[in-house]
């Protein structure tokens, strides 16, 4: 089964072609890596999938249902969640409240019930509190539930962002450079966490990452972009030995094996 399918997706900004005829078939319960030089179009693809950008052409399907031109909120409800290279948390809110924001789209009560304080509102809020705490416990963040998100260390902020994304119950998770800014120990812990999350939640994950050891360790298949164009696709050993990939990307990096 294919969780996410993309056909001939293209996007330009003025005279700049950010993405050109991009294709993807992301199988169920797998992790696929998306790599390439800075400016290759990787984050633009995430923005197109998640509804931040509207494509000039092409189609996006989630579990065989087209979501190409849906609003961002509808795409999220359909089952796509993402994180960002630059962590985006509600810094002035507590760790617990950050998680709770992911539940509000499926809270089960409407505005009038909130204002009137009806029992359905209170029961739903208790359920959200309980389930939010379950996510914090899973990610080892229970002790920080009352802390403002801005006070967490970088690694914990990254875990909180992933936890919040998972609380929206996605079918597909888009991770944009989750290892950015981490030291070696944090990177090793992150690899374990992503592998565990993928297995426990049965997710399909599309991963943008510059640290090749992370990509090789986690991904069954890898795609390589350059100037918005897909130049290679295959398993890790095929991709890292591809001459065009070496010239465009890997040749500028330290050896990965």
């Amino acid at each position: 089964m294919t969780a996410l399918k993309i056909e001939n997706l293209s996007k330009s900004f003025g005279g700049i072609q950010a993405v050109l005829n991009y294709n993807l078939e992301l199988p169920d319960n797998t992790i696929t890596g998306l790599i390439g030089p800075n400016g290759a179009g990787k984050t633009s693809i995430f923005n197109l999938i998640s509804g931040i950008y509207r494509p000039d052409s092409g189609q996006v399907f989630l579990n065989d249902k087209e979501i190409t031109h849906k609003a961002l909120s509808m795409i999220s409800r359909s089952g796509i969640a993402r994180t960002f290279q630059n962590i985006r948390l509600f810094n002035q809110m507590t760790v617990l409240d950050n998680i709770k924001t992911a539940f509000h789209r499926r809270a089960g009560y409407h505005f009038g019930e909130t204002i009137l304080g009806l029992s359905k509102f209170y029961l739903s809020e208790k359920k959200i509190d309980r389930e939010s705490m379950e996510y914090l416990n899973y990610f080892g963040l229970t002790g920080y539930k009352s802390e403002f998100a801005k006070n967490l260390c970088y690694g914990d902020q990254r875990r909180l962002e992933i936890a919040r994304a998972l609380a929206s119950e996605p079918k597909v998770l888009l991770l944009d450079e989750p290892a950015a800014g981490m030291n070696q120990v944090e990177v090793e812990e992150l690899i374990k966490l992503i592998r565990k999350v993928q297995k426990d939640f049965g997710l399909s994950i599309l991963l943008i990452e510059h640290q090749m050891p992370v990509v090789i360790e986690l991904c069954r298949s890898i795609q390589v972009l350059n100037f918005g164009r897909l130049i290679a696709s295959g398993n890790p050993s095929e991709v890292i030995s591809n001459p065009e990939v070496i010239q465009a990307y890997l040749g500028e990096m330290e050896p990965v094996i």
Side-chain angles (χ1 to χ4, degrees):
M1 295 291 292
T2 300
L4 182 69
K5 184 177 182 179
I6 300 174
E7 296 181 344
N8 299 316
L9 202 63
S10 295
K11 179 68 177 179
S12 63
F13 299 95
I16 299 174
Q17 189 73 55
V19 179
L20 179 62
N21 295 330
Y22 174 73
N23 292 277
L24 168 72
E25 289 194 14
L26 181 65
D28 281 337
N29 299 317
T30 59
I31 305 176
T32 292
L34 184 59
I35 67 172
N38 290 327
K42 304 181 298 297
T43 296
S44 292
I45 287 172
F46 272 23
N47 289 339
L48 289 165
I49 295 170
S50 60
I52 294 175
Y53 295 162
R54 293 297 178 93
D56 298 329
S57 60
Q59 295 174 292
V60 180
F61 299 88
L62 179 65
N63 292 336
D64 295 325
K65 295 181 180 179
E66 187 173 1
I67 61 170
T68 313
H69 299 292
K70 288 188 176 182
L72 190 152
S73 59
M74 291 300 296
I75 291 173
S76 175
R77 289 188 181 97
S78 297
I80 290 181
R82 68 170 295 181
T83 65
F84 294 83
Q85 179 182 355
N86 299 314
I87 299 173
R88 298 188 185 181
L89 296 172
F90 298 106
N91 286 322
Q92 301 298 328
M93 293 172 61
T94 67
V95 169
L96 177 60
D97 285 340
N98 265 271
I99 297 290
K100 289 172 68 175
T101 61
F103 286 89
H104 287 159
R105 67 172 178 81
R106 51 188 175 90
Y109 55 79
H110 55 70
F111 182 73
E113 291 170 327
T114 304
I115 297 298
L116 296 174
L118 300 180
S119 60
K120 188 175 182 180
F121 165 73
Y122 286 109
L123 290 173
S124 183
E125 281 295 297
K126 287 182 179 180
K127 182 174 184 290
I128 289 173
D129 281 341
R130 183 177 68 254
E131 292 183 0
S132 296
M133 287 302 300
E134 290 174 358
Y135 279 97
L136 292 184
N137 183 60
Y138 181 91
F139 283 87
L141 295 170
T142 306
Y144 303 109
K145 66 177 183 179
S146 300
E147 286 281 350
F148 287 124
K150 67 179 182 179
N151 294 333
L152 297 182
C153 69
Y154 184 85
D156 287 340
Q157 287 185 354
R158 182 64 77 184
R159 291 211 307 275
L160 176 58
E161 188 184 35
I162 296 173
R164 186 180 62 185
L166 289 176
S168 68
E169 296 186 336
K171 303 177 183 72
V172 173
L173 178 62
L174 311 177
L175 296 177
D176 194 346
E177 295 197 39
M182 290 188 173
N183 61 41
Q184 185 60 39
V185 173
E186 289 172 330
V187 168
E188 291 173 359
E189 290 301 316
L190 178 70
I191 290 172
K192 295 176 184 177
L193 176 63
I194 293 174
R195 184 181 289 118
K196 185 175 188 294
V197 163
Q198 190 277 323
K199 179 181 178 181
D200 291 350
F201 289 85
L203 292 169
S204 299
I205 297 176
L206 186 59
L207 169 72
I208 294 174
E209 185 52 61
H210 275 292
Q211 297 199 38
M212 284 303 298
V214 176
V215 178
I216 292 171
E217 183 73 22
L218 287 172
C219 298
R220 178 184 299 179
S221 64
I222 302 173
Q223 292 187 321
V224 187
L225 287 176
N226 195 30
F227 297 111
R229 183 175 64 90
L230 190 63
I231 62 172
S233 181
N235 64 50
S237 61
E238 292 171 339
V239 167
I240 64 176
S241 61
N242 184 302
E244 190 173 2
V245 175
I246 294 171
Q247 181 179 4
Y249 184 50
L250 296 180
E252 301 176 359
M253 304 176 65
E254 294 182 359
V256 296
I257 56 172

